[in-house]
Amino acid sequence: MKYLIREMTPSDIEDVIVGEESVFGESLGFDLLYTELKLNPYAFYFVLEIDTEVKGYIGTWIEGERGEIVNFYVDKEYQGMGFGQMLLSFYLELAKMSGVKNVSLEVRASNNVAISLYEKNGFKFSHKREKYYKNGEDALVLIKEL
Ligand SMILES: CC(C)(COP(=O)(O)OP(=O)(O)OC[C@H]1O[C@@H](n2cnc3c(N)ncnc32)[C@H](O)[C@@H]1OP(=O)(O)O)[C@@H](O)C(=O)NCCC(=O)NCCS
């Protein structure tokens, strides 16, 4: 198995949409992803390529001393193999080198796998956004100081 992390380009959008829909049941959508890649100077998006196919991604912002994780997944068939940790470590290292002091993210209150990964990486609960998701679920805002 050959894998790498590389910058996401517009030609990856269709693959990422398919992946997001399969993992989350919905996608950020072409327009938003395209705008992020082409127009947002603070957006840093990376794909995980395994055997030349896109099998995950991490979409982030770096804006001065603040970083944010916008979206993040690994394809179901490759979950639990360390790729999520690899993508997260890659971003945290980049953020640190860029002078970011704190990174925030939102996660579904029921997403124990992701919460466990974030806590293992030093993220701490900050506050709750009640009924934040379409199905009425709360979002937990987690923050990590770098
Ligand atoms: C969250 C996600 C990106 C993690 O990626 P992954 O490749 O599966 O994770 P890794 O194999 O690198 O595991 C890293 C840590 O995640 C946690 N984890 C992974 N699989 C788990 C499982 N089945 N049960 C509990 N915790 C788990 C553990 O803390 C693990 O660390 P450990 O191996 O030291 O125990 C991936 O599971 C995913 O895409 N989930 C669906 C989408 C999602 O929830 N995205 C995050 C939105 S905020």
Side-chain angles (χ1 to χ4, degrees), residues 100-122:
V100 168
K101 297 276 191 288
N102 64 75
V103 177
S104 66
L105 60 87
E106 283 148 6
V107 59
R108 282 180 186 271
S110 66
N111 192 346
N112 294 326
V113 170
I115 291 169
S116 149
L117 170 62
Y118 295 137
E119 284 180 343
K120 213 179 73 180
N121 283 272

Side-chain angles (χ1 to χ4, degrees), residues 24 36 43 53 62 84 106 115 120 131:
F24 297 111
E36 284 284 84
E53 287 182 20
I62 292 178
E106 283 148 6
I115 291 169
K120 213 179 73 180
K131 300 189 172 55

Side-chain angles (χ1 to χ4, degrees), residues 17-37:
I17 289 175
V18 170
E20 282 182 326
E21 283 174 349
S22 135
V23 168
F24 297 111
E26 61 183 356
S27 165
L28 293 180
F30 188 93
D31 291 352
L32 195 149
L33 288 167
Y34 189 82
T35 306
E36 284 284 84
L37 297 183

Side-chain angles (χ1 to χ4, degrees), residues 14-145:
E14 294 296 349
D15 288 339
V16 165
I17 289 175
V18 170
E20 282 182 326
E21 283 174 349
S22 135
V23 168
F24 297 111
E26 61 183 356
S27 165
L28 293 180
F30 188 93
D31 291 352
L32 195 149
L33 288 167
Y34 189 82
T35 306
E36 284 284 84
L37 297 183
K38 298 295 276 188
L39 296 176
N40 182 353
Y42 306 116
F44 295 84
Y45 279 57
F46 301 95
V47 293
L48 165 70
E49 205 178 272
I50 301 178
D51 292 335
T52 73
E53 287 182 20
V54 173
K55 296 294 180 188
Y57 93 132
I58 188 161
T60 70
W61 294 337
I62 292 178
E63 190 181 357
E65 296 189 347
R66 290 179 40 221
E68 184 161 340
I69 296 175
V70 179
N71 218 5
F72 171 36
Y73 77 84
V74 171
D75 261 22
K76 283 180 191 151
E77 59 182 316
Y78 291 100
Q79 287 177 10
M81 297 167 70
F83 290 115
Q85 179 64 63
M86 202 170 91
L87 280 167
L88 183 60
S89 299
F90 180 86
Y91 169 64
L92 292 174
E93 196 55 40
L94 175 72
K96 201 170 175 182
M97 287 190 308
S98 308
V100 168
K101 297 276 191 288
N102 64 75
V103 177
S104 66
L105 60 87
E106 283 148 6
V107 59
R108 282 180 186 271
S110 66
N111 192 346
N112 294 326
V113 170
I115 291 169
S116 149
L117 170 62
Y118 295 137
E119 284 180 343
K120 213 179 73 180
N121 283 272
F123 283 84
K124 303 245 181 318
F125 173 76
S126 166
H127 58 281
K128 195 187 275 187
R129 294 200 170 124
E130 285 188 17
K131 300 189 172 55
Y132 182 78
Y133 295 102
K134 278 186 205 146
N135 69 349
E137 189 171 353
D138 296 341
L140 307 186
V141 177
L142 307 185
I143 296 184
K144 175 181 166 71
E145 308 291 335

